[in-house]
Amino acid sequence: PKNNENTFGDMWLYGKYRYKVMEELGIAAGVELRLPTGDKDDYTGTGEVGTNPFVSARYNRDRWAIGTNVGYQFNTGNLDGMF
């Protein structure tokens, strides 16, 4: 950030729907939406709108749990050189 200022990065909105398949197993689907509220020049944002639809699953057994998710990030512009 310029001159050691406090800055605000890109804003993420998140929504998810969960469904309990069995007592130990749950699945979910959702979407993340990234809004370009950060400054690209200060490296606190991308300057682009992005969305990430995903699906996930989680298995719980006593004190143990395992989960996984799969999604894909879509962006409105070209992010070459950003990451």
Side-chain angles (χ1 to χ4, degrees):
K2 301 174 187 169
N3 301 323
N4 294 325
E5 296 174 353
N6 291 327
T7 60
F8 190 73
D10 284 352
M11 182 182 299
W12 289 79
L13 302 174
Y14 175 84
K16 178 168 75 171
Y17 175 77
R18 293 186 287 186
Y19 179 74
K20 195 174 213 179
V21 177
M22 301 180 331
E23 185 64 31
E24 300 89 7
L25 178 65
I27 58 174
V31 65
E32 296 173 338
L33 177 65
R34 187 185 67 243
L35 303 176
T37 55
D39 187 346
K40 185 176 181 179
D41 296 330
D42 280 344
Y43 304 103
T44 59
T46 62
E48 304 293 339
V49 173
T51 184
N52 179 19
F54 64 89
V55 294
S56 63
R58 182 177 173 101
Y59 179 80
N60 296 302
R61 183 74 179 210
D62 300 324
R63 298 184 330 167
W64 302 96
I66 188 168
T68 187
N69 64 19
V70 176
Y72 188 82
Q73 180 74 44
F74 296 96
N75 298 294
T76 58
N78 186 356
L79 297 181
D80 288 344
M82 175 58 71
F83 300 102

